[in-house]
Amino acid sequence: MDLNDELKTAAWRKATKSGSNQGDCLEVAPLSGGRVGLRDTEAPERAPFVVSASVWDAFINGAKKGEFDF
């Protein structure tokens, strides 16, 4: 399947803690080859970012360790 077709049919989801933000969050979707799609819920028509499994894993690991905390 072509990546563009895969992104159109991807199972996008957002964090349950986003609650009633009405779109103020990111959505993620698992893709083939372990890749992950990321898109802004305020602009789902824009092209999403697609990252490799290793990039996604590094991001999640860093987030869990608080590396992105302000």
Side-chain angles (χ1 to χ4, degrees):
M1 178 184 295
D2 172 85
L3 178 59
N4 288 328
D5 291 334
E6 188 175 4
L7 289 167
K8 289 176 189 173
T9 61
W12 294 98
R13 66 181 192 258
K14 60 183 180 178
T16 55
K17 290 196 176 216
S18 65
S20 61
N21 285 342
Q22 302 303 319
D24 292 340
C25 57
L26 291 175
E27 293 179 312
V28 299
L31 302 171
S32 63
R35 297 173 298 177
V36 176
L38 304 161
R39 71 179 183 184
D40 185 344
T41 57
E42 294 178 326
E45 72 283 355
R46 286 186 172 171
F49 291 102
V50 176
V51 297
S52 68
S54 62
V55 169
W56 181 248
D57 289 342
F59 172 77
I60 294 299
N61 188 39
K64 288 179 179 178
K65 291 179 179 178
E67 293 177 9
F68 308 113
D69 294 352
F70 292 104

